[in-house]
């Protein structure tokens, strides 16, 4: 099977969706730009024309309202925000209109709208350009919220989101867009409500979101050498959460750990733990554990970001302590300390997912 980066997989999904359905349009700041939103929209305006692929002004709320109107009128818009932070300017349209119309009109009106938003760190993005706000959107009934990790899932879930009659917040992590993965060439869909077991294990269940899946798999591989056998689950969807899959895993392992790309307080990690506890409390042999960002705005200085983001080493240390295993720290450091600058994607992960 051929390999594509996640960015290439997303671009292929858009191209196939627009070829299959002339109602699909692509809108966003920088969509026809030469850089093409990390390459995910490159060449699409040349292929499908300016009437279906076009730039938008710095008017997020207004443009989102236009896209909602287009969706109600029978189009299937895909709107792109290069940072999830910019979507905050359109929260009135997203929360008060897109999420509500289907319910307010008893299903007679649907809003088949996909809003692509990008999260993730880099050099100096700071507190207004690097937030991970999935819990904020997942709180709103009427919105589906997904965070694909692999390129295969990114393509299949984007095609599923475009075909869905409900508004979908499609959250991409910029550090995943360069990772290469096996991606089928044919058009296919991946369900928007099913988690994926990336690694089977018996000692603890580790549910991870987005790029934390990569960090979790790196940590699990090293911890296995010290006798800790983790089951790693890619959550894929933030709303709805695949609680049955998480609970089934916890019934096998007896322990639950959740790794999120967002803050700890009010985050989706807490919701996973609460939901699993409600339905599988009797299976838990220890208190659950959350691994998330500290409750502080994202710093700009790379000296401060160095210790802000939990990585594979952080996860391994936290889990070994949580499970009461005495693993020499120097052993974990020698295996998991990053070999690349902390503000660029690490190269250790080669997949598959």
């Amino acid at each position: 099977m051929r390999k594509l980066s996640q960015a290439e997989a997303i671009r292929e999904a858009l191209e196939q969706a627009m070829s299959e359905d002339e109602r699909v349009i692509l809108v966003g700041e920088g969509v026809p730009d030469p850089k093409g939103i990390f390459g995910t929209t490159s060449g699409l305006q040349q292929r499908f024309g300016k009437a279906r692929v076009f730039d938008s002004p710095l008017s997020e709320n207004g443009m989102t309202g236009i896209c909602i109107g287009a969706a109600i009128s029978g189009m299937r818009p895909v709107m792109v925000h290069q940072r999830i932070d910019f979507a905050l300017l359109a929260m009135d349209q997203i929360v008060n209109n897109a999420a509500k119309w289907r319910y307010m009109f008893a299903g007679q009106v649907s809003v088949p709208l996909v809003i692509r938003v990008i999260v993730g760190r880099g050099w100096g993005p700071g507190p207004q350009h690097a937030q991970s706000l999935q819990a904020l959107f997942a709180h709103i009934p009427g919105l589906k919220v997904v965070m694909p990790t692999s390129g295969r899932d990114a393509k299949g879930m984007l095609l599923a989101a475009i075909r869905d009659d409900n508004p979908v917040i499609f959250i991409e992590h910029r550090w995943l867009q360069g990772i290469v993965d096996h991606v089928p060439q044919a058009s296919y869909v991946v369900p928007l409500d099913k988690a994926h077991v990336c690694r089977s294990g018996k000692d603890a269940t580790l549910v991870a979101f987005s790029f934390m899946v990569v960090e979790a798999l790196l940590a699990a591989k090293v911890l296995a050498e010290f006798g800790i056998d983790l089951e790693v689950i890619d959550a894929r969807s933030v709303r709805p959460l695949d609680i049955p899959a998480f609970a089934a895993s916890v019934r096998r392992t007896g322990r639950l750990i959740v790794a999120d790309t967002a803050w700890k307080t009010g985050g989706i990690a807490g919701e996973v733990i609460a939901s699993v506890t409600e339905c599988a409390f009797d299976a838990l042999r220890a208190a659950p554990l959350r691994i998330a960002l500290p409750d502080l705005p994202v710093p700009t200085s790379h000296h401060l970001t160095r210790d802000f983001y939990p990585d594979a080493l952080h996860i391994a240390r936290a889990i070994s302590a949580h499970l009461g295993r005495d693993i020499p720290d120097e052993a974990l450091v020698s295996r998991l300390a990053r070999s690349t600058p902390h503000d660029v994607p690490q190269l250790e992960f080669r997949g598959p997912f």
Side-chain angles (χ1 to χ4, degrees), residues 2 26 28 30 44 73 76 91 106 125 131 133 152 159 181 194 200 224 245 253 279 284 300 341 343:
R2 77 214 171 108
L26 182 58
L44 295 178
S73 301
R76 291 189 174 269
M91 289 300 274
Q131 299 172 96
L133 302 171
R152 180 187 180 280
L159 284 169
D181 185 30
K194 298 296 181 186
S200 298
T253 67
C279 64
L284 288 167
T300 301
D343 52 2

Side-chain angles (χ1 to χ4, degrees), residues 23-51:
R23 298 174 300 171
V24 178
I25 58 174
L26 182 58
V27 187
E29 296 163 18
V31 162
D33 185 85
K35 293 182 180 179
I37 318 289
F38 300 100
T40 61
T41 62
S42 297
L44 295 178
Q45 188 181 64
Q46 291 81 354
R47 169 79 188 277
F48 298 101
K50 294 183 179 180

Side-chain angles (χ1 to χ4, degrees), residues 251-273:
R251 291 198 178 280
R252 292 192 295 272
T253 67
R255 294 175 173 82
L256 175 61
I257 301 153
V258 187
D260 190 17
T261 60
W263 295 299
K264 184 175 182 179
T265 299
I268 202 64
E271 182 62 30
V272 171
I273 288 171

Side-chain angles (χ1 to χ4, degrees), residues 261-306:
T261 60
W263 295 299
K264 184 175 182 179
T265 299
I268 202 64
E271 182 62 30
V272 171
I273 288 171
S275 298
V276 171
T277 301
E278 283 180 335
C279 64
F281 179 75
D282 59 319
L284 288 167
R285 299 200 299 270
L289 172 68
R290 286 178 288 176
I291 297 174
L293 300 182
D295 287 326
L296 296 166
V298 178
T300 301
S301 164
H302 68 276
H303 296 292
L304 297 176
T305 56
R306 186 180 302 280

